[in-house]
Each structure stands twice: as C-alpha cells, then as structure tokens.
Amino acid sequence: MMRSLFVLAGAGLLAACGQQAALEPPPGESLPPAPYGTAERPEAEDLLELDPQAAPERSVELRRRSEEREDDPFDLPPE
C-alpha cells in the first residue's frame, strides 16, 4: 500500500514539472535557416505547427447500417 502511494506521488511530481515557458533555441544556437524560396525565417511556434498532410482531418462519416462490400480484386487468398 505504501509503495503504491510513493509511486503515485512520484508520478504526480513528474507530471507537475513540465515547463510552461515559450520555446527558444538553446544559448549559442539559432533557429533553422529560412526555407528555400522564402525571405523570412519561421518562428519557433510556426515550426511546431503540423501541415495538413502530416495531420489530416478525420472523416466523420459514420455508417448507419451494414452495407454489402464491393468485390476487391486485390483480396487474394494466401499462396
């Protein structure tokens, strides 16, 4: 019982120690150079944003009832 309490307390402390400050490059370092074809260098927050291809939106189309599957020519039995 006491051991699980220590584990739970340790997990709580680890979860609470996250940094909430703005991101900055380490001292002596700089942000990556501007991408080819652009004049300005992106900020740290811009570099953290995912482009739509990296995180596509989910399709929320739900099936209301079961439907017959179309024949799949690539669904072959194992050889």
Side-chain angles (χ1 to χ4, degrees):
M1 176 72 175
M2 195 67 153
R3 182 179 207 162
S4 62
L5 183 63
F6 282 124
V7 170
L8 196 57
L13 288 173
L14 279 177
C17 71
Q19 184 177 3
Q20 299 295 324
L23 294 174
E24 295 178 5
E29 298 288 326
S30 64
L31 290 173
Y36 182 76
T38 61
E40 60 186 47
R41 180 184 294 181
E43 296 294 320
E45 294 300 322
D46 297 333
L47 293 172
L48 290 174
E49 291 178 11
L50 294 175
D51 59 339
Q53 251 184 340
E57 292 185 22
R58 293 184 64 182
S59 171
V60 292
E61 177 185 334
L62 300 174
R63 298 200 184 261
R64 303 273 184 226
R65 56 196 159 125
S66 61
E67 298 174 3
E68 198 66 34
R69 283 184 160 186
E70 295 179 18
D71 187 33
D72 185 3
F74 298 104
D75 187 20
L76 301 175
E79 292 182 11

